[in-house]
Amino acid sequence: YIPKEIICHESEMDERGRFHLEFKRHSRLLSASALIQNLLLIAHARGLGTCWMTGPLYMSQEINEFLGRQQKELVSLITIGYPDQSPPAPVRKEHVIHWID
């Protein structure tokens, strides 16, 4: 969760103005994402399986009510537990990264 913040854009606002208006929320989302990634890495190192889910966010109001959260923005849901299988890694796509010299 991050603090809930409603941002209203003015129709004449340029890109720099929108950046300054959204900076705090954007920084909080990036911080939450970094936290989630580190949580997933720690869980994996301890033999736990995880899944980072953003699909259920369309139900964030209901989820917040269930969890008793107010004035918070749900960033994602994470499932965590001991996996009952270890599927192989998917085949890597070739030529997806292009290095520029």
Side-chain angles (χ1 to χ4, degrees):
Y1 281 101
I2 61 172
K4 186 168 191 141
E5 186 174 9
I6 297 173
I7 299 170
C8 298
H9 293 235
E10 296 175 16
S11 60
E12 300 295 321
M13 188 174 288
D14 64 357
E15 188 173 334
R16 181 175 285 176
R18 282 192 305 274
F19 172 82
H20 288 293
L21 188 63
E22 296 177 358
F23 179 76
K24 195 184 307 182
R25 180 176 180 269
H26 184 72
S27 294
R28 289 174 176 159
L29 285 170
L30 291 174
S31 295
S33 298
L35 172 79
I36 292 166
Q37 179 185 15
N38 288 329
L39 175 68
L40 301 181
L41 290 170
I42 291 168
H44 177 74
R46 295 185 179 205
L48 293 163
T50 60
C51 183
W52 184 346
M53 300 184 298
T54 56
L57 293 180
Y58 77 96
M59 299 278 300
S60 62
Q61 182 176 349
E62 291 85 350
I63 293 168
N64 286 349
E65 287 174 10
F66 178 76
L67 296 175
R69 297 289 182 170
Q70 296 176 0
Q71 299 301 318
K72 300 288 183 182
E73 181 179 352
L74 184 63
V75 175
S76 69
L77 297 175
I78 301 166
T79 58
I80 187 166
Y82 291 100
D84 62 357
Q85 57 180 315
S86 295
V91 177
R92 300 266 181 199
K93 296 177 184 176
E94 293 186 29
H95 310 293
V96 174
I97 297 176
H98 300 280
W99 297 100
I100 300 174
D101 294 328

